Amino acid sequence: QLHLVESGGGLVQAGDSLRLSCAASGRTFIPYTMAWFRQAPGKEREFVATILRGDEGTYYADCVRGRFTVTRDNAKNTQYLHMTGLKPEDSAVYYCAARFGTGVVVTTRTQYNYWGQGTQVTVSS
């Protein structure tokens, strides 16, 4: 069982930067594809970014590409989401997710088996 815990959310102003962390425990997450999703009030949970197992590649939603960067530190069992140029529309609860990876980009939330509890990001205008 893989247990995920997010941290790093908060209240920032438009244009600011923020780094989210997702610490994994229970087993090594090296074989897992990791991802970030977000959910704003009244909206569906949406894909943000993913990083394949073993740093095989990354993929981003169009709305964050060029502003967000997903990384992972396998030695620390931790995934990060570096967010820059934040906009009010980025406000949401951000969730860390994992699936036993096959080296294929997956953006569908139902394909992920493990989830964190979420961390709130609020961007004021």
Side-chain angles (χ1 to χ4, degrees), residues 8-78:
L11 172 63
V12 297
Q13 293 186 333
D16 283 352
S17 299
L18 203 59
R19 189 185 76 166
L20 305 182
S21 299
C22 170
S25 62
R27 57 181 65 179
T28 176
F29 83 161
I30 292 175
Y32 289 83
T33 287
M34 303 299 295
W36 291 94
F37 287 75
R38 68 186 183 187
Q39 187 168 17
K43 294 189 176 181
E44 295 283 322
R45 190 170 300 187
E46 65 175 358
F47 168 79
V48 174
T50 183
I51 184 165
L52 302 182
R53 62 180 184 178
D55 256 342
E56 292 173 350
T58 58
Y59 183 80
Y60 299 90
D62 289 343
C63 58
V64 306
R65 187 174 292 117
R67 298 189 297 122
F68 291 10
T69 303
V70 58
T71 61
R72 62 192 294 165
D73 184 335
N74 290 333
K76 295 183 177 179
N77 258 20
T78 301

